[in-house]
Each structure stands twice: as structure tokens, then as C-alpha cells.
């Protein structure tokens, strides 16, 4: 037994010596330059890292693919982690650009490590999705009904408030299960901005923002997870971007606007909300466009803009020029993709505001080309 162990040890040692010798000979037989790893001819020369809003993610993916077709050396890696996550990564200086459905206030911008610009890039509706299999027509909800559901004042689908919104419709029995986003979400900011405007108690009790202290409900992170929870749980109600709802085939509610009309979320009804806010947007493009005035008869009342956040100056000239060119593309021909994915095209006035903001970008303190 002992002799066998010794033999095995000798064989192992001899094999190890032989392997080392072969490796040594291989290294000596070829110059070191042949071991240098060279980049593939197809490798991108510029990679833009971005993150933020889930609201704009489907459109951002479309823009990135279209831009890559005409600029094959540029890759855009966008991660839909929520507006709050994108803002935080912008603060840390990790991103080429971020995206948020909640524009930063002047005080918030002052807290950043470096100045940024906020370019309006897209707009669209936040829709109310629900799981009521027995309902054969779209659910209708007034501002009062919707805010009371999220306040916990209306807890049953047969409540008189909901019945008033849906005359002649047999509503299902059962409790209302409220679902909301638990992460920092621009979609939440648009939705809670609307609730704050239409319900004074909500404004005082809860307020608006990327995240709020919800009176009731189940929380989940991300739009896809929220939609999955609604789809899997009868009696639920939640809020989400229209592009996600349409892709999944989820039913969406008609929401009553100030004109008294129950309006379905769509590219056209969101565009009507933007048009109704044109004067306010001209003064400050960050102005919320929720709950437009009575004159906007066709406007969907829970609509919002998405903003691209870009460091105003950076040392990498090529990267800054590429970011500027990509966002300029999104503001121009990129808008043609908006309606295909249930977003609203930006009006010319807002696009011009965005282009003027892009022209403020610099690199090493110098204007870009």
C-alpha cells in the first residue's frame, strides 16, 4: 500500500514537471505580442450606460436599436430600474445619462455633485389596470372614486361610488385589493401628482413623489412585477404605463376628466393633455400636465412627461457628443416611434425647448460641435 502511494506521487510529480516544461517551451516559441488581446473589428467604440424610468423603457429600447443601425459603433445599455434608481446613480456619477418621469427641482439639482440639464424626451398616459374577469365592458372611474380607492375609503367593487360611475353595469362582489409600486418610481410620481390635484385630503395626507407612504395596499418593485400581481390576483387594481398594459392585453379603466368625459388612455388623449398645458410648459417644461382644464375635453387626465438627465459638462468629449447626438435623434425622428408604442409625440414647442437645452451641453467647459 505504501509502495503504491509512493509510485503515484512520483507519477504526479513527473507529470507536473512535464506540463511546466511544455508551457515554458510554448511561451519561448512565440513572441509576447501574439498573446495581446485585440478588440474585435465589430466591437463598439462607444458604450453609453444609462438607467432610470421604467415608463420610457420600451421606447428607449426602440431608440437604442434604431440609433445603433445608423451608428453601429455605439451601444446604449439602458436599465429600467425606476426613476429613483436612475436619479441616485446620476448623483454617484455612474451614468452617461439617466431618465426620470419626475423632473428634479432646483433645490434637488443643487444637491447633485455636478450641474445637469433635464430634457423632455417623451410623454404618455399612466393607466389603471384591474382584474375583474366578470366585467365585459371597460371599468369607469371618476377622480373621487379612484382617490377614495387608494385612500381605503372605497373597499368593495359594489360600492355606490363605483356604481355611480358605471350605470347599468353589474359590478362583481368582492374586496378591492390595491397594488402600488414600492420602489422609487416616476410612474408613482405622475399618479400621485394626479391624486394630489384632484383630492385635497390626499394632498394633505399622502402627497406626491417617487415614493409615498401609501395608506393601504400591496407594494411591488417595477412595472412588470406590478402588472404580474394584478394579472394573477382577482379583485386587484393598480397603475402602470400603457405600453406595458397593451403588450400584456390587460384591461384599462376609463378615467373621468375635468370636462366630465370618461377617457381611455391613448397616445392621442395624452397628446391632448400636453396641448392643454402648452402655456405652462413654455414657462417651465417641468410643469405637471395631470388633470388638465375643462376645455381639454378629449384629454386623458393621468399623463406625464419623461425627462433625460445629462451632466451639463464632462471631461470625455466624445461621450458627451454621442449623448447629445442620441438625444437629438430621440427628439426628432425618434418621435415617430412614440405612437407605435402607445406614447405621445412631443409637440414642436416642447421639442424646441429640448433642443435648446441640449445646446447647453459642454465638455471641459467648451461648447460641443
Amino acid at each position: 500500500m505504501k509502495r503504491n502511494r509512493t509510485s503515484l506521487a512520483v507519477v504526479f510529480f513527473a507529470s507536473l514537471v512535464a506540463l511546466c516544461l511544455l508551457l515554458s517551451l510554448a511561451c519561448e516559441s512565440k513572441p509576447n505580442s501574439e498573446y495581446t488581446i485585440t478588440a474585435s473589428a465589430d466591437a463598439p467604440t462607444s458604450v453609453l450606460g444609462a438607467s432610470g424610468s421604467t415608463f420610457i423603457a420600451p421606447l428607449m429600447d426602440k431608440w437604442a436599436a434604431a440609433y445603433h443601425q445608423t451608428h453601429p459603433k455605439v451601444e446604449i445599455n439602458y436599465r429600467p430600474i425606476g426613476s429613483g434608481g436612475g436619479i441616485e446613480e446620476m448623483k454617484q456619477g455612474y451614468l452617461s445619462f439617466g431618465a426620470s418621469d419626475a423632473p428634479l427641482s432646483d433645490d434637488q439639482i443643487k444637491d447633485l455633485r455636478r450641474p445637469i440639464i433635464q430634457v423632455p424626451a417623451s410623454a404618455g398616459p399612466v393607466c389603471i389596470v384591474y382584474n375583474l374577469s366578470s366585467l365585459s365592458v371597460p371599468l369607469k372611474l371618476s377622480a373621487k372614486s379612484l382617490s377614495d380607492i387608494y385612500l381605503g375609503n372605497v373597499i368593495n367593487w359594489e360600492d355606490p361610488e363605483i356604481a355611480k360611475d358605471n350605470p347599468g353595469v353589474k359590478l362583481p362582489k368582492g374586496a378591492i385589493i390595491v397594488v402600488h409600486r414600492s420602489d422609487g418610481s416616476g410612474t408613482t410620481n405622475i399618479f400621485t401628482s394626479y391624486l394630489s390635484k384632484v383630492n385635497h385630503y390626499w394632498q394633505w395626507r399622502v402627497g406626491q413623489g417617487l415614493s409615498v407612504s401609501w395608506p393601504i395596499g400591496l407594494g411591488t418593485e417595477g412595472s412588470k412585477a406590478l402588472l404580474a400581481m394584478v394579472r394573477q390576483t382577482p379583485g386587484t387594481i393598480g397603475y402602470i404605463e400603457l405600453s406595458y398594459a397593451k403588450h400584456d392585453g390587460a384591461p384599462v379603466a376609463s378615467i373621468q376628466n375635468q370636462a366630465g368625459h370618461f377617457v381611455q388612455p391613448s397616445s392621442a388623449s395624452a397628446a391632448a393633455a400636453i396641448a392643454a398645458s402648452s402655456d405652462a410648459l413654455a414657462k417651465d417644461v417641468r410643469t405637471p400636465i395631470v388633470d388638465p382644464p375643462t376645455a381639454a375635453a378629449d384629454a386623458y387626465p393621468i399623463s406625464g412627461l419623461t425627462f433625460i438627465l445629462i451632466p451639463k459638462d464632462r471631461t470625455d468629449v466624445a461621450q458627451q457628443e454621442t449623448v447629445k447626438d442620441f438625444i437629438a435623434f430621440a427628439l426628432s425622428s425618434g418621435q415617430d416611434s412614440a405612437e407605435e408604442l402607445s406614447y405621445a409625440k412631443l409637440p414642436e414647442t416642447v421639442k424646441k425647448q429640448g433642443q435648446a437645452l441640449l445646446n447647453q451641453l459642454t465638455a471641459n467647459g467648451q461648447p460641443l460641435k
Side-chain angles (χ1 to χ4, degrees), residues 195-320:
L195 294 178
S196 291
K197 189 171 180 183
V198 301
N199 189 303
H200 294 303
Y201 181 74
W202 179 281
Q203 184 180 32
W204 172 79
R205 168 71 172 77
V206 184
Q208 67 187 70
L210 295 170
S211 59
V212 297
S213 180
W214 296 95
I216 58 167
L218 306 174
T220 185
E221 291 193 10
S223 296
K224 291 182 179 179
L226 184 145
L227 183 56
M229 184 178 290
V230 171
R231 294 289 278 173
Q232 294 166 10
T233 312
T236 49
I237 186 171
Y239 59 92
I240 200 169
E241 301 86 338
L242 180 59
S243 55
Y244 288 92
K246 289 190 73 172
H247 182 268
D248 191 72
V252 297
S254 297
I255 306 300
Q256 190 176 37
N257 61 19
Q258 279 202 31
H261 299 158
F262 287 93
V263 181
Q264 275 277 298
S266 68
S267 299
S269 59
I274 302 172
S277 307
S278 57
D279 291 343
L281 291 171
K283 296 175 183 176
D284 189 343
V285 75
R286 297 173 295 182
T287 304
I289 62 173
V290 295
D291 193 39
T294 305
D298 299 326
Y300 181 74
I302 318 177
S303 299
L305 296 170
T306 297
F307 296 82
I308 304 299
L309 315 180
I310 312 169
K312 190 171 183 179
D313 185 82
R314 74 174 94 226
T315 56
D316 190 329
V317 178
Q319 184 181 102
Q320 192 77 322

Side-chain angles (χ1 to χ4, degrees), residues 50-73:
S51 70
S53 163
T54 58
F55 186 100
I56 201 176
L59 187 54
M60 186 67 72
D61 289 344
K62 183 88 171 178
W63 285 342
Y67 190 80
H68 181 70
Q69 286 185 340
T70 55
H71 301 75
K73 291 296 185 180

